Amino acid sequence: MAEHIIYLLGPFQVPGLGQERHVRVYAPNEAAGGAPVLFMFDGQNIFHDAPSFSGGWYVHHAVKQLEEQGLPAPVIVGIDHGGSSRLDELSPFTSGDSAGRADELLAWLKAELAPRIAQEFKVRTDPAGTAVGGSSMGGLAALYAHFRHPDLFGAALCMSPSFWFAERRIFDYVAAQPKPWTSRIYIDAGAREGGGSVVADAERMVQHLRERGWDDTSLCWIADQDGHHSEHDWRKRAPAALQFLFTGTPGQRPEAPAPMSPPPGESPPPPA
């Protein structure tokens, strides 16, 4: 079987959200079955450069590295955003910029998409083997999804999360939720994002979680001193993040696969 086959499913119509979207799936070893699964927002950006406006993450390369090292290698499910409705569907909260319709996206993911992926790709369905992830607004949505649906998502990958969005209401929301019975959270941010405000918000969340009992095996915090708000930087940090989600130990950050297009420059954090 050829390497790096990425399946394009859909298009899907999400109830309550107007735009149809595709779902992109990478399974590193389809014959094995029982692999963990990571659902990721902004599916256009996580694999190749072509569908992304600013370069891909090449997550499939990072997953293949894990498989070659004999480590848990997740099936990656990239959920395309809905274009002009992206801000609405990735925000859990209403604000001047968003109708706050993340619950509708998550309800569809839980009721329709996750069962289909489990059936077609034979992935794990327990929370410890199911993670959700994204960057910027996707990172905000991932942390919210973990606490909103801990029966499905036992882990969250939050890269450069937009915790500032909607007057930082994510902090009150997380504080009000019980600690999930199984939980592993990866959070990172770059020092060159938003004049340091993205790092400051991330550190605040990390401190809150540590005070509530998350330790080094259940919480990984990476402050990237050279990090910008860009796919190029998320691509570099992805291998270590993926390893942590399913082993509890972050890997070393290798150099990112060379993009097919020039790496993007720095962009302001709100909202990527």
Side-chain angles (χ1 to χ4, degrees), residues 41 59 90 111 136 164 244:
F41 302 113
V59 169
L90 292 183
S136 196
W164 55 269
F244 175 79

Side-chain angles (χ1 to χ4, degrees), residues 171-212:
F171 290 96
D172 289 339
Y173 178 80
V174 170
Q177 306 309 308
K179 183 179 180 181
W181 70 270
T182 182
S183 179
R184 187 168 285 146
I185 301 173
Y186 172 94
I187 300 176
D188 70 24
R192 299 177 183 272
E193 300 181 64
S197 63
V198 178
V199 167
D201 284 338
E203 287 180 330
R204 176 184 167 188
M205 181 64 73
V206 167
Q207 182 62 31
H208 169 77
L209 295 173
R210 285 176 175 162
E211 290 172 354
R212 293 180 56 185

Side-chain angles (χ1 to χ4, degrees), residues 58-130:
Y58 291 78
V59 169
H60 49 305
H61 288 226
V63 171
K64 196 65 177 178
Q65 290 174 17
L66 295 178
E67 185 190 33
E68 291 170 350
Q69 296 170 39
L71 297 171
V75 169
I76 303 294
V77 181
I79 305 165
D80 282 11
H81 62 72
S84 61
S85 67
R86 178 180 180 271
L87 199 58
D88 289 333
E89 64 190 38
L90 292 183
S91 173
F93 315 110
T94 58
S95 73
D97 300 313
S98 170
R101 304 178 74 176
D103 278 333
E104 294 167 72
L105 180 63
L106 295 175
W108 166 79
L109 195 166
K110 184 175 182 179
E112 181 178 341
L113 181 61
R116 176 168 174 178
I117 296 300
Q119 179 179 14
E120 294 192 16
F121 294 91
K122 311 303 180 187
V123 297
R124 290 172 60 178
T125 57
D126 59 307
T130 307

